[in-house]
Amino acid sequence: MKLPRRPKKADHTAPVRRPTHRHEGLPDDQALLDAIADMRELDVGDLARRFGLKGDDRRVLRQRLKALAESGKLARNGRKSFGALGALPETGVVEVVERDVDGELWVKWGKPDAQSPLARLAPLKKNAAQTPPGMGDRLYVRFEKVSDGWVAHLIKVLDQGAPRIVGVVRRSKRELRLESVNRKEKNSFSLTGPNLETLEDGDVVVAMPTGGAHKYGPKPARVVEVVGKEDSPRIASVMAIHSHGLPTGFTTVTEKEAEAAKAPGLGKSTDLRDLPFVTIDPADAKDHDDAVYAHADEDEKNPGGWVVWVAIADVAHYVTPGSALDREAREKGNSTYFPDRVEPMLPHVLSSGLCSLQEGENRATMAVRMVFSADGKKIGHRFVRGLMRSAAKLSYEQAQAAIDGQPDDKTGPILETLLKPLWAAHACLAKGRNARQPLHISSPERRVHLDADGNVVKIEPRVSLEAHGLIEEMMIQANVSAAEELEKHKTPLIYRVHETPSQEKVGNLADFLSTLGIPWNKGEPPRTERFNRLLDAQKDGPNSEIINEVVLRTQMQAHYSPDNVGHFGLNLDHYAHFTSPIRRYADLVVHRALIRALKLGDDGLTDYDIKTIRDTAEHITATERRSMQAEREAIERYIAAYLHDKVGATFKGRIVGVTRFGLFVKLTETGADGIVPVSSLRDDYYVHDDVQHALIGERHGLRWRLGAQIEIELMEAMPITGGLVFKALSEPEVPDPNAPRPRLGVRRQSAGRPSRGGPPKKPGLKSGPKFGEKNKKKKKR
């Protein structure tokens, strides 16, 4: 058997033969730069094919391009992609990185540290129903070179509504962290990205999580925008605006459209300037979108009846479908009101100018003439589009004082001719309202007063006057008339709907009332008159406030819909919003529907508007709730700032919520809400009973009951989050011996078990600095 032959040893002394390549086909540097500038962006493969390069020539080409990029003559857009300096590709994925003083959005293509130029985001296409993008959103766009730079045309929104964090920067020697202003957010974040050295301790920023969260320690986040300082007095509203992504300001295109608006002449409109309308609004109101006038009905067939005119600003004349004004108004959905500012739905030049029914000025209007019988029932209405002139601008307090026998120089001359007829007409409408039986729920509001620097100086309840009820009822009847008119013409519209309370909510109400010894039949269908009998019977009793609160919580939340299910709270079958088109987009849609139905112009509801009406209703419902949350959070922060230097003081309040982790208390004086943690109730081991709505001591049987009055000590006030922490000073109630003991199976509160020794621990929340002060205390490690 022959063995295999050994291979010959390599001769390392022989010269190595290497293939020879000539690079005669390679272009010089200037030719490469010209080619890339001509095509805006090319990768190595495209460029090689263009010059007919193969094999090692491609490798050399790549090295040449890399060298040009390192020398600053080319922009490197990726591992194998290159572009001319200052050039952008045909299309690309961008991020919204900047909003200029005019409200224009600017986008950046490439990585955050790339040197690519910013591009201005072009306005959305006409009739675009998509919500415009905001800061931090990722978009797919088409780029266009214009004389003054680059414009990006939106193709698709990729990551709209990406989670954002609003927080306060905490800088130390070792790290840079972000503390969220959302009290529900328990995590802190570590900040990453460029330009971190410019951030200062106490900066309030908007950031976005970057993913790749660590298993332990803070999650990484990237700063998108610096919005203020934590010691700024007005930062409460800024935090609320950015926490909820409220659109602010207006684009240059929208502002120019508003400035170019012209007041209409009389033309074919109805001349209403001989009717002495008056506006009645809050004393500090800047816009006046409704005016009223009333007189006795002269029709012999309607003895004792009244005619009520309601004139509303004709916003549809200025904000036409598909315009930039329309797109931004739809995006915002409504105006948002804070103690220190307003984020309006329309630019100031319209909302406080041409669309405001100013005294003595001709104004375009959409008006309704309504006729009421002597018993307050509406027996007819007619809509007109015309020109009106307000005879007087009054405040609620001013009009009420005149009726109460204290007229001033302005109200005295019109008391008999204008104001008293309005009050007489309201007395007539009140008969119909009483017969209709809308819910009698009272929802007291608190007004936050600020000084010139934005510091809180006073918090007081808003006073309810008869003048408020007059305007409210006349507006309600105008809204009803709009819905009925559009239904009569079979024109699509957006209703304001309010469903009947669910059986589950009514059952919870019945359970609570049983703890007070008040009977309620769970099987009885919910009706407004049944709720009203309860509220009226308890009106002067010790539990009136909490019963009012619980009945309010039993109700469903009103919303917008193209489908009519009626309005339970107002006890109306047909209802839409018509009377505030300056501050609500829903009203503008109803105005356009009336223009289309009644053939009052060519600026009415379009076919596209009708096609997307359900999307619009859902969108403006969401924007309304967004604004409500932002407004509430801003007020909570202002109140916490006001109470910050009152830590240790005692207050009276009422328990308005009972949960397994503590008692929610509303203070009587300011209406502020805070929590008494269950861990601070050290005298017993408390169990939450959800039937009795109480925390009940397991050893002694004492209880903390929903609705009970309580005296508390303010332990902590946190202006940054709006949180308040209380300590109960009152003693728990001795239970009714006939009341049932806590049910088995409810969750025990281990945090409420009495301490074996030592003083009770304070709640683990830290007080933030008061607005207007710089917190110079360093954190202890």
Side-chain angles (χ1 to χ4, degrees):
M1 181 176 179
K2 292 184 179 181
L3 295 174
R5 296 177 64 183
R6 291 182 178 180
K8 293 182 179 180
K9 293 183 179 180
D11 185 2
H12 296 291
T13 61
V16 178
R17 290 189 175 184
R18 299 186 183 274
T20 57
H21 288 281
R22 294 178 301 170
H23 305 303
E24 297 176 356
L26 280 172
D28 59 22
D29 289 353
Q30 189 57 48
L32 288 174
L33 294 174
D34 292 343
I36 291 177
D38 181 51
M39 299 300 293
R40 291 170 59 172
E41 181 189 27
L42 285 173
D43 62 24
V44 176
D46 293 332
L47 208 56
R49 283 189 290 273
R50 177 165 181 168
F51 288 104
L53 305 179
K54 298 180 180 180
D56 273 6
D57 285 344
R58 289 196 174 201
R59 178 179 57 80
V60 176
L61 174 65
R62 188 159 48 246
Q63 293 173 347
R64 291 266 298 278
L65 292 171
K66 183 178 179 181
L68 287 171
E70 290 174 349
S71 66
K73 296 180 180 180
L74 272 184
R76 189 165 188 174
N77 304 323
R79 194 170 67 89
K80 296 182 179 181
S81 180
F82 297 85
L85 288 177
L88 294 172
E90 294 287 342
T91 60
V93 176
V94 300
E95 180 180 342
V96 181
V97 296
E98 187 176 315
R99 186 193 301 271
D100 62 22
V101 293
D102 297 322
E104 300 278 5
L105 293 177
W106 293 78
V107 300
K108 186 173 184 178
W109 174 73
K111 296 181 179 180
D113 56 351
Q115 298 300 313
S116 58
L118 297 182
R120 178 174 53 83
L121 188 64
L124 295 185
K125 295 179 180 179
K126 186 176 181 179
N127 291 332
Q130 186 179 51
T131 301
M135 290 291 296
D137 287 346
R138 292 178 66 249
L139 320 173
Y140 183 56
V141 301
R142 175 177 59 82
F143 290 107
E144 178 187 4
K145 187 74 171 71
V146 294
S147 59
D148 59 346
W150 292 88
V151 174
H153 299 273
L154 179 64
I155 298 174
K156 185 178 181 181
V157 177
L158 302 178
D159 291 331
Q160 189 163 45
R164 291 173 174 80
I165 311 147
V166 178
V168 181
V169 174
R170 299 300 181 203
R171 179 179 283 278
S172 68
K173 292 181 179 179
R174 294 193 309 170
E175 61 185 352
L176 199 62
R177 288 201 181 193
L178 185 69
E179 291 184 359
S180 174
V181 302
N182 182 358
R183 51 187 147 171
K184 296 180 181 179
E185 177 63 65
K186 304 300 182 183
N187 298 317
S188 63
F189 298 84
S190 63
L191 294 176
T192 63
N195 303 321
L196 293 182
E197 66 279 359
T198 63
L199 294 177
E200 298 180 358
D201 188 76
D203 280 346
V204 179
V205 303
V206 180
M208 296 182 66
T210 57
H214 303 163
K215 186 175 181 180
Y216 303 102
K219 300 177 181 179
R222 177 172 53 83
V223 174
V224 174
E225 186 177 7
V226 179
V227 297
K229 303 286 285 186
E230 68 171 326
D231 56 353
S232 170
R234 302 178 188 272
I235 197 65
S237 299
V238 176
M239 289 176 177
I241 288 169
H242 289 280
S243 293
H244 294 278
L246 288 174
T248 58
F250 298 92
T251 64
T252 302
V253 175
T254 299
E255 291 280 11
K256 288 181 178 179
E257 281 188 5
E259 292 167 0
K262 303 291 185 183
L266 182 60
K268 298 180 180 179
S269 300
T270 304
D271 193 348
L272 303 175
R273 289 175 291 181
D274 59 336
L275 298 181
F277 286 99
V278 296
T279 62
I280 305 177
D281 292 290
D284 57 353
K286 300 296 188 294
D287 51 46
H288 310 277
D289 53 6
D290 59 80
V292 292
Y293 166 61
H295 62 84
D297 191 3
E298 299 174 355
D299 189 346
E300 296 178 354
K301 297 179 181 179
N302 186 29
W306 284 86
V307 174
V308 175
W309 281 86
V310 172
I312 306 298
D314 188 2
V315 176
H317 172 78
Y318 304 100
V319 184
T320 55
S323 63
L325 277 166
D326 182 44
R327 288 193 298 270
E328 287 209 49
R330 185 186 184 277
E331 176 196 2
K332 295 189 174 190
N334 48 264
S335 298
T336 309
Y337 296 85
F338 299 103
D340 65 322
R341 72 191 70 195
V342 176
E343 284 299 335
M345 187 181 79
L346 299 176
H348 176 79
V349 68
L350 289 181
S351 61
S352 299
L354 290 175
C355 293
S356 183
L357 307 182
Q358 298 175 353
E359 181 179 340
E361 299 289 340
N362 291 344
R363 288 292 182 260
T365 183
M366 181 78 74
V368 57
R369 179 185 186 271
M370 300 174 289
V371 182
F372 296 88
S373 62
D375 58 359
K377 293 183 179 179
K378 184 167 69 70
I379 58 177
H381 65 257
R382 174 171 59 90
F383 282 89
V384 296
R385 197 178 192 186
L387 207 62
M388 58 85 68
R389 183 187 296 130
S390 172
K393 182 187 78 168
L394 306 177
S395 69
Y396 287 113
E397 295 78 8
Q398 194 177 15
Q400 189 66 55
I403 291 297
D404 293 341
Q406 297 177 322
D408 57 20
D409 293 342
K410 194 166 192 177
T411 56
I414 61 174
L415 178 60
E416 297 294 331
T417 57
L418 297 183
L419 295 183
K420 286 189 175 179
L422 278 172
W423 256 255
H426 177 234
C428 174
L429 269 61
K431 297 177 183 177
R433 180 183 179 89
N434 294 336
R436 191 176 81 240
Q437 284 282 308
L439 280 174
H440 293 171
I441 295 175
S442 61
S443 182
E445 298 180 11
R446 295 295 192 274
R447 184 176 181 185
V448 177
H449 294 269
L450 307 177
D451 62 17
D453 297 325
N455 297 302
V456 182
V457 294
K458 184 171 59 173
I459 300 170
E460 62 180 3
R462 292 183 183 271
V463 178
S464 181
L465 303 172
E466 187 181 357
H468 291 102
L470 180 151
I471 295 298
E472 178 185 11
E473 187 59 27
M474 290 182 178
M475 297 304 113
I476 287 173
Q477 292 301 328
N479 289 336
V480 170
S481 300
E484 291 176 345
E485 187 72 13
L486 291 172
E487 286 182 350
K488 173 184 172 183
H489 287 82
K490 295 181 172 55
T491 301
L493 72 147
I494 294 178
Y495 293 93
R496 181 65 168 181
V497 298
H498 184 219
E499 286 95 343
T500 302
S502 65
Q503 286 298 323
E504 180 184 3
K505 287 193 170 190
V506 174
N508 291 336
L509 171 65
D511 289 340
F512 166 69
L513 292 175
S514 67
T515 68
L516 303 177
I518 301 173
W520 183 281
N521 184 0
K522 292 185 179 181
E524 182 179 355
R527 292 176 294 116
T528 55
E529 54 266 37
R530 178 65 184 92
F531 286 114
N532 289 340
R533 287 202 304 273
L534 168 66
L535 294 168
D536 294 342
Q538 302 296 324
K539 186 175 182 180
D540 299 322
N543 297 306
S544 61
E545 290 183 21
I546 192 61
I547 290 175
N548 183 88
E549 180 83 15
V550 174
V551 170
L552 178 60
R553 295 179 191 175
T554 303
Q555 308 307 310
M556 308 297 284
Q557 194 167 9
H559 60 96
Y560 293 107
S561 173
D563 305 317
N564 184 25
V565 297
H567 196 292
F568 178 81
L570 296 175
N571 203 11
L572 292 168
D573 294 328
H574 316 277
Y575 194 65
H577 275 166
F578 160 76
T579 55
S580 296
I582 289 179
R583 60 184 180 90
R584 292 189 306 228
Y585 193 79
D587 304 53
L588 177 57
V589 172
V590 169
H591 276 233
R592 290 173 177 167
L594 287 167
I595 293 169
R596 178 183 177 122
L598 302 176
K599 297 178 173 55
L600 298 176
D602 57 2
D603 48 359
L605 207 63
T606 66
D607 292 341
Y608 182 83
D609 291 334
I610 293 174
K611 179 182 177 181
T612 59
I613 199 165
R614 186 173 299 278
D615 291 339
T616 299
E618 293 175 355
H619 171 70
I620 60 180
T621 295
T623 61
E624 178 190 49
R625 294 180 180 178
R626 175 182 66 184
S627 293
M628 290 170 62
Q629 291 173 352
E631 291 167 352
R632 182 173 61 251
E633 288 181 11
I635 290 175
E636 287 174 350
R637 290 188 176 102
Y638 275 114
I639 292 177
Y642 179 68
L643 296 175
H644 186 265
D645 58 0
K646 297 175 177 60
V647 170
T650 60
F651 300 91
K652 292 182 178 180
R654 186 179 294 275
I655 299 174
V656 295
V658 180
T659 69
R660 60 185 181 83
F661 48 84
L663 307 171
F664 287 96
V665 176
K666 181 183 289 290
L667 301 187
T668 304
E669 181 182 351
T670 61
D673 292 292
I675 187 171
V676 177
V678 70
S679 59
S680 68
L681 304 175
R682 314 297 292 183
D683 60 316
D684 204 340
Y685 176 52
Y686 284 94
V687 177
H688 179 222
D689 189 305
D690 57 359
V691 173
Q692 297 192 54
H693 297 274
L695 288 179
I696 301 177
E698 196 172 60
R699 293 188 300 170
H700 305 303
L702 303 180
R703 66 176 184 168
W704 299 97
R705 173 183 57 82
L706 180 67
Q709 294 185 352
I710 185 174
E711 186 174 3
I712 57 91
E713 177 185 349
L714 177 61
M715 303 300 291
E716 298 182 72
M718 294 157 283
I720 297 302
T721 63
L724 301 174
V725 179
F726 303 138
K727 175 185 176 182
L729 300 180
S730 301
E731 296 295 328
E733 292 181 348
V734 177
D736 182 346
N738 298 320
R741 297 291 292 172
R743 298 180 302 160
L744 295 176
V746 294
R747 295 186 65 176
R748 298 306 199 255
Q749 307 307 311
S750 58
R753 188 176 296 279
S755 175
R756 291 177 178 264
K761 294 181 179 179
K762 291 184 178 181
L765 297 173
K766 297 181 179 180
S767 296
K770 182 180 178 181
F771 294 145
E773 297 179 355
K774 180 65 179 176
N775 182 11
K776 297 181 180 180
K777 296 181 180 179
K778 295 183 178 180
K779 289 187 173 182
K780 294 182 180 180
R781 293 195 174 275

